[in-house]
């Protein structure tokens, strides 16, 4: 599990995002990802961005609104045509 600082913008690498045939998805958008903070799911706070990096991996530019809650933060894919393992973080007090 990785650590993030509370209410601090951060860029994280997530993926790979795969389609139903197992091929890397290179066209995902920020709306395809979801943040779960301490068990409560929500869309990533605007203006977070997703940029394809390589082979289905994405750089997610998280905003201070994405890291504002101390505790567990889980990033998952929120698109029924795509799959990705979850990425888990611990948000620590600033």
């Amino acid at each position: 599990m990785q650590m993030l600082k509370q209410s601090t913008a951060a860029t994280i690498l997530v993926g790979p995002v795969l389609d139903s045939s197992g091929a890397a998805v290179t066209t995902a958008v920020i709306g395809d990802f979801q943040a779960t903070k301490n068990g409560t799911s929500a869309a990533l706070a605007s203006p977070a961005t997703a940029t394809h990096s390589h082979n289905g991996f994405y750089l997610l530019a998280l905003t201070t609104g994405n890291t504002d809650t101390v505790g567990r933060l889980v990033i998952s894919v929120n698109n029924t045509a795509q799959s990705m393992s979850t990425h888990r973080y611990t948000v620590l007090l600033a």
Side-chain angles (χ1 to χ4, degrees):
M1 187 173 300
Q2 298 178 10
M3 293 176 265
L4 297 171
K5 186 176 177 182
Q6 182 185 21
S7 297
T8 302
T11 300
I12 59 173
L13 182 69
V14 299
V17 178
L18 305 174
D19 66 14
S20 60
S21 67
V25 173
T26 60
T27 57
V29 295
I30 195 64
D32 292 332
F33 298 95
Q34 182 164 325
T36 302
K37 301 177 188 179
N38 292 322
T40 302
S41 296
L44 288 165
S46 183
T49 61
T51 305
H52 182 255
S53 175
H54 62 284
N55 298 327
F57 284 84
Y58 286 81
L59 291 168
L60 296 185
L62 302 179
T63 66
T64 57
N66 298 126
T67 60
D68 61 349
T69 304
V70 172
R72 298 179 319 271
L73 173 66
V74 178
I75 304 295
S76 58
V77 73
N78 187 28
N79 182 320
T80 59
Q82 301 169 355
S83 65
M84 175 185 83
S85 61
T86 58
H87 293 265
R88 299 174 187 278
Y89 302 87
T90 299
V91 178
L92 303 172
L93 288 172

